[in-house]
Amino acid sequence: MPVEQHETLTAESALEEELFLGLRQLDGIDLARIERDYGVTVMERFDPLASAGLVERDGSMVRLAPEKLSVSNEVFVELLR
């Protein structure tokens, strides 16, 4: 099949996509793995979201709070700040 579109992702774009797609999963994402794989520090970015009740943290795992799934886009916007 012919390729209709080709996009090269930067490391930053790949990280953002992994965070957003991972948060949409019920299991959430392992921030320790993200930090190790990408060589970045992201755990503190989730502290205000956890304090606001938007995400739940269990060690290095983070997921959207079940009652906040309907406002997931707002959580993603906060992560981009």
Side-chain angles (χ1 to χ4, degrees):
M1 296 192 65
V3 175
E4 186 175 311
Q5 184 178 358
H6 184 298
E7 178 182 358
T8 302
L9 290 178
T10 65
E12 184 177 345
S13 295
L15 171 61
E16 288 176 359
E17 279 198 30
E18 187 157 354
L19 289 173
F20 301 150
L21 293 174
L23 283 175
R24 286 192 169 113
Q25 298 177 29
L26 294 179
D27 289 339
I29 52 177
D30 184 351
L31 296 179
R33 184 193 59 77
I34 295 284
E35 289 186 346
R36 182 183 64 246
D37 289 355
Y38 288 90
V40 297
T41 303
V42 295
M43 285 197 200
E44 74 276 352
R45 291 167 69 179
F46 287 88
D47 291 339
L49 299 172
S51 295
L54 296 170
V55 298
E56 297 176 342
R57 290 198 49 190
D58 182 13
S60 67
M61 294 297 295
V62 66
R63 67 189 58 79
L64 286 173
E67 66 277 4
K68 300 299 183 182
L69 292 174
S70 64
V71 294
S72 62
N73 286 341
E74 287 82 355
V75 174
F76 302 147
V77 168
E78 289 300 317
L79 280 174
L80 288 174
R81 291 179 182 213

